[in-house]
Amino acid sequence: MYNKNAWEKYDEKELEKLMSFNDDYIDFLSNFKTEREITNFSVEILENNGFKNLDSVKELKAGDKVYAINREKNVMAFVIGKEDVLNGINILGAHIDSPRLDLKQNPLYESNEFAYLNTHYYGGIVKYQWVARPLAIHGVVIKKSGEKIIVNIGEDDNDPVFCITDLLPHLSADKNQKSANTVIAGEDLDLTIGSIPSKNDEKEKVLANIKSILVEKYNIEEEDFVSAELEIVPAGKAKSLGLDRSMVLGYGHDDRVCAYTSLKAILDLDETPNRTSCCILVDKEEVGSIGATGAHSKFFEYILGKLIMKAKGEFNDLMLMELITNSYMLSSDVSAGYDPLYASVFEKTNSSFLGHGLTFNKYTGARGKSGCNDANPEFIAKIRKVLDDNNVYYQTAELGRVDQGGGGTIAYILANKNMNVIDAGIPVMSMHAPSEAVSKADVYEAYLGYIAFLKYIA
Ligand code: MN
Ligand code: MN
């Protein structure tokens, strides 16, 4: 159903399913906040559902379920279909990194009897939103021995939290003259982590005390920060939003909401699909999809190569190109939800509305569609038919008014490999803020739409 409010469709039983699906999503959002945490969660849930590591399988046949991971930050999962894989596969692709603050490599310092951690922001954050709120530290520290220390401080009820302080309004005459963009400087996003001085005869006494806590409690020496990946994220759980509980408020819907629904779609396929189904979760989308774990990585072709070898008993480059060229993909990424409080930046007839279902962006980009993947109408027509046949609610949108801004996703990267790709995700309000909002109806419609796509697009 095109561009209608999805809440009208649910009977009592369906509403119960929708709410229960979202309760599970809220748990996921509360518990897994970084690309590594989501990768590890994905492996666990895939294995619990009968998926095997691709490397442990010699041959692939219809109905087999396999997965592959890359450096604890990418996941690819497959359900092998009845058709030859060279006929193409149906892919759901989402990203599992979210805007945040990363620790610098040499982060510890003391100033006027406070200890701090120096940060460098990751992705497009609105800096003033990150001050004066409880923050948590998630990530890993790798010792020279190779030992991995997993860090997660600020989420348990008994954990301390951290914060970046803000200026009181009584003293902000100078600050109030600044623009929203400069009011908090990137270099000033430093995390307060302590204030008790050490009793020993040392120079920076508060820092000395913090360093001894790091060693005693966490086995982390100061130099170990050099080989660490520690991410500062909003502390606390996601929650239902609104008296009617129609929405979810939480950190990192972009793009964990599409990652979760895509992963659930492939897990919940009820029969062997005709075409092979695939779900791919990538890192680094918020900084341009570069690097070994971003969507540009050769990991994608590498795993597809193994898939062909194990399904066909042979491999060559032409086979890989054939598979890719014949494949269809939904770039499952969030869309900007229409916000009545900021109506002037949207063009209402081509905006996505919370509650109107899965949102398709034929193109993203900026100015004259610069940098966009412009999906083929032949492909979009196939999708319309499948969604209507399966009573999935969906809508189409642009990212705001022409020339107001712009953005991109991983769509163009896979399209460049010669694949049919379109952006298909969930509208978000307050995108990239520490607390973003989505509609529970859209989470559910996306999940239903993704299943229909995997099963029926051909
Ligand atoms: Mn995104
Ligand atoms: Mn984003």
Side-chain angles (χ1 to χ4, degrees):
M1 182 72 73
Y2 179 58
N3 212 7
K4 288 254 166 54
N5 195 311
W7 289 104
E8 72 184 23
K9 128 180 177 188
Y10 310 119
D11 60 18
E12 201 82 338
K13 220 177 116 207
E14 198 70 7
L15 205 56
E16 210 170 286
K17 274 169 77 178
L18 177 156
M19 289 297 180
S20 144
F21 186 88
N22 275 281
D23 286 344
D24 291 343
Y25 172 55
I26 288 173
D27 283 345
F28 164 80
L29 207 59
S30 303
N31 291 324
F32 309 104
K33 297 189 178 179
T34 68
E35 48 286 332
R36 282 178 190 264
E37 289 170 354
I38 296 158
T39 299
N40 291 331
F41 161 80
S42 302
V43 169
E44 195 185 322
I45 194 169
L46 283 163
E47 286 187 348
N48 289 343
N49 281 272
F51 285 71
K52 296 200 177 90
N53 190 315
L54 181 61
D55 287 332
S56 72
V57 177
K58 273 216 164 83
E59 284 177 356
L60 288 172
K61 55 181 188 322
D64 285 350
K65 298 174 176 185
V66 288
Y67 72 88
I69 54 168
N70 183 22
R71 295 171 171 84
E72 238 184 344
K73 296 180 194 178
N74 293 155
V75 185
M76 281 181 87
F78 300 91
V79 176
I80 307 300
K82 293 173 194 153
E83 286 183 20
D84 191 329
V85 289
L86 301 191
N87 290 356
I89 67 178
N90 292 354
I91 305 170
L92 300 169
H95 68 92
I96 52 177
D97 60 318
S98 297
R100 59 176 189 256
L101 308 176
D102 286 341
L103 288 197
K104 291 189 182 185
Q105 278 192 291
N106 185 17
L108 277 173
Y109 76 96
E110 174 167 345
S111 176
N112 296 279
E113 300 182 5
F114 287 100
Y116 292 97
L117 284 168
N118 223 321
T119 72
H120 194 136
Y121 65 94
Y122 172 97
I125 65 161
V126 178
K127 297 182 195 89
Y128 65 72
Q129 294 172 341
W130 287 75
V131 296
R133 58 178 303 125
L135 298 168
I137 305 178
H138 290 228
V140 294
V141 177
I142 313 295
K143 307 283 282 184
K144 270 199 287 190
S145 63
E147 183 196 349
K148 181 188 294 176
I149 297 166
I150 293 169
V151 178
N152 185 319
I153 312 167
E155 304 293 354
D156 190 272
D157 281 346
N158 297 312
D159 278 354
V161 293
F162 312 94
C163 86
I164 299 158
T165 51
D166 198 4
L167 189 60
L168 62 170
H170 317 70
L171 294 178
S172 56
D174 289 350
K175 181 184 148 193
N176 290 347
Q177 304 308 311
K178 294 183 179 173
S179 68
N181 196 21
T182 58
V183 69
I184 302 289
E187 198 53 75
D188 294 340
L189 292 169
D190 292 352
L191 208 61
T192 310
I193 57 161
S195 63
I196 301 179
S198 155
K199 290 202 170 72
N200 298 332
D201 190 22
E202 284 159 300
K203 257 202 357 228
E204 294 179 309
K205 288 176 188 294
V206 173
L207 198 56
N209 187 46
I210 289 291
K211 284 180 192 171
S212 63
I213 292 172
L214 282 170
V215 171
E216 281 156 30
K217 191 135 194 241
Y218 301 101
N219 185 25
I220 299 169
E221 308 270 353
E222 184 172 10
E223 264 188 37
D224 292 335
F225 283 109
V226 168
S227 50
E229 192 167 76
L230 294 168
E231 305 179 6
I232 313 304
V233 296
K237 294 183 192 310
K239 295 270 187 186
S240 288
L241 171 62
L243 280 175
D244 57 5
R245 297 178 167 259
S246 57
M247 295 167 277
V248 179
L249 187 72
Y251 163 68
H253 286 306
D254 178 9
D255 187 29
R256 287 185 288 158
V257 69
C258 299
Y260 183 77
T261 42
S262 295
L263 189 64
K264 284 292 282 180
I266 198 166
L267 285 167
D268 291 353
L269 286 175
D270 54 359
E271 53 184 20
T272 302
N274 286 328
R275 286 160 66 88
T276 292
S277 295
C278 171
C279 169
I280 172 167
L281 306 180
V282 295
D283 177 32
K284 294 286 180 287
E285 192 273 345
E286 297 294 354
V287 293
S289 297
I290 33 54
T293 55
H296 279 294
S297 170
K298 288 275 182 204
F299 175 66
F300 181 72
E301 286 93 331
Y302 172 48
I303 297 305
L304 289 182
K306 283 193 192 187
L307 190 84
I308 292 170
M309 190 67 212
K310 291 179 192 223
K312 308 274 300 172
E314 55 176 330
F315 171 84
N316 60 48
D317 286 353
L318 197 61
M319 290 168 127
L320 179 61
M321 279 313 302
E322 209 173 320
L323 184 156
I324 290 173
T325 303
N326 293 332
S327 290
Y328 294 112
M329 175 171 171
L330 296 185
S331 163
S332 322
D333 203 346
V334 296
S335 205
Y338 180 84
D339 187 339
L341 298 183
Y342 299 95
S344 68
V345 302
F346 294 93
E347 189 265 287
K348 209 172 168 184
T349 49
N350 286 281
S351 293
S352 67
F353 291 84
L354 265 67
H356 286 214
L358 182 57
T359 303
F360 290 86
N361 290 95
K362 183 175 187 296
Y363 43 84
T364 55
R367 303 178 304 280
K369 299 188 179 180
S370 179
C372 79
N373 156 59
D374 211 337
N376 258 329
E378 289 86 348
F379 177 38
I380 301 174
K382 280 180 199 279
I383 295 172
R384 283 175 62 199
K385 171 151 176 44
V386 164
L387 295 182
D388 280 337
D389 288 352
N390 289 277
N391 195 26
V392 175
Y393 278 53
Y394 69 98
Q395 53 184 327
T396 54
E398 295 202 5
L399 185 51
R401 293 178 75 86
V402 175
D403 284 340
Q404 186 59 236
T409 64
I410 64 169
Y412 77 95
I413 300 163
L414 285 303
N416 281 352
K417 299 181 198 290
N418 196 28
M419 191 185 290
N420 276 298
V421 186
I422 186 168
D423 279 301
I426 291 161
V428 174
M429 281 162 93
S430 309
M431 195 194 294
H432 283 204
S435 285
E436 303 172 318
V438 297
S439 165
K440 291 182 181 177
D442 299 332
V443 175
Y444 193 61
E445 291 305 308
Y447 163 70
L448 298 178
Y450 292 158
I451 290 179
F453 170 84
L454 292 178
K455 284 172 79 165
Y456 302 117
I457 290 288

